[in-house]
Amino acid sequence: MRDVLVTLIVFGWLPLVFKKPYMGALMWVWISVMNPHTQGWGFATTFPFAAIIGGVTIICLAFSKEEKSFPITPVTGVFIFFVLWMNVTSFFAIYPDEIYDQWNKVMKIMLMTFVVFMLIKTKKHIQLLIWTIVISLAYYGVKGGIFTIVGGGVHMVLGPQGTFIGGNNEIALALIMTIPLMHYLQTISPSIWVRHGLTAAMLLCALAALGSYSRGALLALAAMGAFLWLKSRHKVRIGMLLILAIPPAIAFMPEQWSERMDSINSYEEDGSVQGRFNAWWMAYNLAKERPLTGGGFEVITPELFYLYAPHPTDLHAAHSIYFQALGEHGFVGLGLYLLLGLLTWRTGSWIIRNTKNLEEYRWASNLATMIQVSLIGFATGGAFLSLLYFDVPYYLMGVMVATRFLVAKELKQKGSSVSDKKGADSTGQFGQISPAQPQPQPIARDSG
């Protein structure tokens, strides 16, 4: 039944893509983030939904008469260089015959990220994309939160198998990233029932993250909560909510959960943590020998661990977005990735700074703030997970770019309009501008 439902949704949605190509971008995000076909047990689990959606969207984009320019900014420029550099490191990969599957998977993600950049342009598009990401991940958060409550937190919450978020650590980080986006949707939702529903979903997602037994997720949640409090206009309200919500949630979890979290303080004796350190040293030593290109995709092999790891027999994935970038793409790749994050952050800061005290753009300021909060969670939790190619952060990067483009364009138009009216007033052709009318602020210039 689930297989049939997913199939009906996809093929029922496809005709809309021919009229509105951005619907294809939204459907791609839904299918790639939620992976709804993995929730079935029949033909849908292996049916090429993503390939069909991606192909139709690209064809419609090519033949559409709508504007389809790619936004050129420092963020997108570095993103292009990062993708190109991944191809360079693939050419010089240590195991060129074994990287095709991973290269193919990553390049598909990056290609469709470019497509999303080209199709998501208006306020409506931006908000629909946020809704799509939230619904895709909140499904697992609500289900996982209920599972944690019913089971008393004894059993571990996992994500859909065979996806980026299949493991307990990965689904926990994805859910933590979703919580600030839910809060943003609360600020733009006129319905009180939707706002209450989002509050319930946020609490269940937090419980599901705790129920994953992920120590990295706990650190990410703490970092994100602290930053959210600092950025909030309602520090007392947010502080009281955190105080009232977090201690009961932690107290609810069983003793085995507390023992797992307490092991953070005794990481020297934890085999999992020491395995991560071993993988990080391997990536660093590999990059020192190949500083420009790293090893390319697929560097977790016994041969490379024998050459570069302190403990050659202890094979582990990088378990860090930073060391994954370093080991696979060298110091250049890591530098590009860090620069991409920095410029995305500065783009959000530009939006917040230029929309300050402009009620009309409160939505943009809140969105940029909540994406920054979400990225704090990803940057913290990602330090312990191999999620370099997880697509959600790249979609949020696209949202930042699209929002800045939209805000800058409208503020420029308003500034030109005011200038024209002032010039007309001096010739007596138009009426006076009301002193009560809010004036657009000058657009701050920076490289972000």
Side-chain angles (χ1 to χ4, degrees):
M1 182 62 184
R2 295 183 183 182
D3 302 85
V4 175
L5 178 61
V6 173
T7 304
L8 289 175
I9 292 174
V10 171
F11 285 95
W13 200 339
L14 280 177
L16 299 175
V17 180
F18 291 96
K19 294 182 63 177
K20 301 176 180 179
Y22 75 87
M23 297 295 287
L26 297 177
M27 185 156 56
W28 168 267
V29 171
W30 172 64
I31 209 78
S32 65
V33 175
M34 183 178 178
N35 294 278
H37 51 291
T38 63
Q39 301 304 290
W41 296 282
F43 69 91
T45 56
T46 57
F47 195 80
F49 290 112
I52 293 172
I53 294 168
V56 170
T57 302
I58 291 173
I59 291 172
C60 292
L61 173 64
F63 290 96
S64 172
K65 296 181 180 179
E66 297 180 6
E67 181 187 358
K68 46 194 172 186
S69 59
F70 184 80
I72 301 298
T73 71
V75 174
T76 57
V78 172
F79 181 55
I80 291 171
F81 277 117
F82 183 51
V83 174
L84 290 175
W85 189 251
M86 284 192 280
N87 283 275
V88 172
T89 61
S90 297
F91 183 79
F92 293 101
I94 295 176
Y95 301 108
D97 297 331
E98 299 178 16
I99 67 169
Y100 175 75
D101 288 344
Q102 179 69 356
W103 173 87
N104 186 50
K105 175 183 176 181
V106 172
M107 288 304 115
K108 286 179 180 177
I109 292 171
M110 298 305 163
L111 172 62
M112 291 308 297
T113 301
F114 283 120
V115 171
V116 171
F117 275 33
M118 296 177 70
L119 291 173
I120 302 301
K121 295 183 176 298
T122 68
K123 178 181 176 181
K124 176 184 177 182
H125 296 168
I126 291 166
Q127 293 183 346
L128 285 174
L129 178 55
I130 296 297
W131 271 111
T132 302
I133 294 172
V134 165
I135 291 172
S136 299
L137 293 174
Y139 168 80
Y140 298 109
V142 171
K143 187 170 72 167
I146 295 173
F147 174 77
T148 300
I149 293 172
V150 172
V154 174
H155 304 289
M156 185 181 294
V157 173
L158 299 172
Q161 292 184 357
T163 69
F164 276 117
I165 56 174
N168 65 309
N169 297 299
E170 290 78 7
I171 186 63
L173 181 56
L175 295 179
I176 287 170
M177 291 178 64
T178 309
I179 292 173
L181 304 181
M182 292 183 187
H183 180 61
Y184 164 71
L185 293 177
Q186 284 183 314
T187 66
I188 64 169
S189 298
S191 171
I192 189 172
W193 296 108
V194 172
R195 295 197 296 272
H196 287 333
L198 286 167
T199 298
M202 290 164 66
L203 293 173
L204 289 171
C205 283
L207 270 177
L210 295 178
S212 71
Y213 283 69
S214 172
R215 294 167 293 187
L218 183 65
L219 294 175
L221 188 61
M224 198 179 71
F227 187 75
L228 176 62
W229 181 80
L230 287 172
K231 298 287 283 187
S232 175
R233 295 186 180 94
H234 310 287
K235 288 184 171 56
V236 175
R237 185 188 306 174
I238 294 294
M240 290 299 296
L241 178 63
L242 293 175
I243 292 172
L244 292 174
I246 293 177
I250 293 177
F252 172 79
M253 300 303 293
E255 183 178 353
Q256 65 196 59
W257 182 89
S258 300
E259 293 174 355
R260 172 76 172 171
M261 298 304 112
D262 288 342
S263 65
I264 294 175
N265 298 318
S266 56
Y267 64 88
E268 300 92 342
E269 304 171 3
D270 190 290
S272 175
V273 174
Q274 293 305 311
R276 281 177 165 84
F277 290 163
N278 190 55
W280 294 355
W281 275 111
M282 192 284 288
Y284 174 71
N285 291 332
L286 172 60
K288 278 203 307 181
E289 186 163 307
R290 298 166 61 97
L292 293 180
T293 62
F297 295 116
E298 305 297 348
V299 294
I300 309 303
T301 66
E303 295 80 10
L304 293 182
F305 267 72
Y306 179 80
L307 290 173
Y308 300 112
H311 302 286
T313 59
D314 188 12
L315 269 71
H316 280 268
H319 283 297
S320 169
I321 53 177
Y322 311 113
F323 285 98
Q324 186 179 7
L326 180 62
E328 294 183 0
H329 308 298
F331 286 97
V332 175
L334 175 61
L336 288 171
Y337 186 64
L338 294 175
L339 181 59
L340 187 62
L342 174 63
L343 292 176
T344 301
W345 184 275
R346 291 192 64 186
T347 299
S349 298
W350 184 96
I351 295 168
I352 296 167
R353 184 167 59 252
N354 282 275
T355 57
K356 187 178 181 180
N357 300 325
L358 295 177
E359 187 64 30
E360 179 181 358
Y361 294 102
R362 177 70 64 85
W363 70 271
S365 177
N366 288 340
L367 177 58
T369 301
M370 289 303 105
I371 290 180
Q372 285 187 336
V373 174
S374 183
L375 292 179
I376 282 288
F378 179 72
T380 304
F384 310 100
L385 294 173
S386 301
L387 284 176
L388 179 63
Y389 312 114
F390 182 38
D391 41 4
V392 170
Y394 297 106
Y395 298 146
L396 295 180
M397 175 183 70
V399 169
M400 282 285 212
V401 171
T403 304
R404 169 164 177 165
F405 248 80
L406 183 62
V407 169
K409 179 180 177 181
E410 292 186 3
L411 288 180
K412 184 177 180 180
Q413 290 173 344
K414 289 178 182 293
S416 299
S417 175
V418 170
S419 298
D420 291 343
K421 292 182 80 174
K422 286 181 178 179
D425 288 339
S426 66
T427 63
Q429 294 180 15
F430 295 101
Q432 295 291 322
I433 299 176
S434 170
Q437 182 178 350
Q439 302 299 311
Q441 296 182 342
I443 300 176
R445 304 291 181 186
D446 62 34
S447 60

